[in-house]
Amino acid sequence: MYIAPMSTAADNNFLLPPPAPAYLPARVIGDPEEGGVVVSPLPDPEVADEAPSEPYLTPYDNKRVAMYMWLLDAAYDDEDWRVVARTVLHIDPEKEPKRAHRAWETHLARARWILKEGYKFLFPSPTTH
């Protein structure tokens, strides 16, 4: 997913991301008059039924860093898990409620772990000579 500002690039002096494909729905979060944003999902890698639980970042995690950020953002905004499962994880909670809830629950827990511990694996420690 990406966030497209509601104003023009000329107004804010920054570059807008490319538009999402037409088949992907967009939604507005917040009041457009107050700087709300249009959220458009981008095609993401497949999401596993459960997030990894290893005590280090996996290749699966590395491919889904943006997804983890979206999960944290949605949790901060107290978004309904069903909305998050559908828009972020691309799992329909109406058709697969148990899978959707478990995927949301474990991926959110993994996102929180990355925020507290896993981020250390994103940056290699400096070596001393």
Side-chain angles (χ1 to χ4, degrees), residues 45-58:
E46 286 289 317
V47 175
D49 292 352
E50 291 191 16
S53 59
E54 287 82 4
Y56 53 86
L57 292 178
T58 67

Side-chain angles (χ1 to χ4, degrees), residues 27-128:
R27 73 178 224 226
V28 176
I29 297 178
D31 182 357
E33 299 295 321
E34 299 290 324
V37 294
V38 175
V39 178
S40 298
L42 293 177
D44 290 325
E46 286 289 317
V47 175
D49 292 352
E50 291 191 16
S53 59
E54 287 82 4
Y56 53 86
L57 292 178
T58 67
Y60 179 92
D61 294 320
N62 291 331
K63 290 179 184 175
R64 292 161 183 83
V65 171
M67 177 195 70
Y68 289 131
M69 287 188 214
W70 278 100
L71 289 168
L72 291 168
D73 188 53
Y76 179 82
D77 290 341
D78 202 27
E79 289 277 348
D80 183 275
W81 73 267
R82 290 172 285 266
V83 173
V84 178
R86 181 177 290 112
T87 58
V88 177
L89 303 177
H90 307 289
I91 300 172
D92 187 342
E94 305 282 323
K95 293 180 182 175
E96 301 178 277
K98 289 181 182 178
R99 176 177 176 247
H101 189 268
R102 185 71 182 143
W104 167 79
E105 182 178 56
T106 62
H107 283 85
L108 179 56
R110 185 67 169 183
R112 288 177 171 151
W113 174 82
I114 291 170
L115 185 64
K116 292 179 183 174
E117 299 289 328
Y119 72 91
K120 297 170 191 171
F121 296 100
L122 292 173
F123 308 102
S125 61
T127 57
T128 57

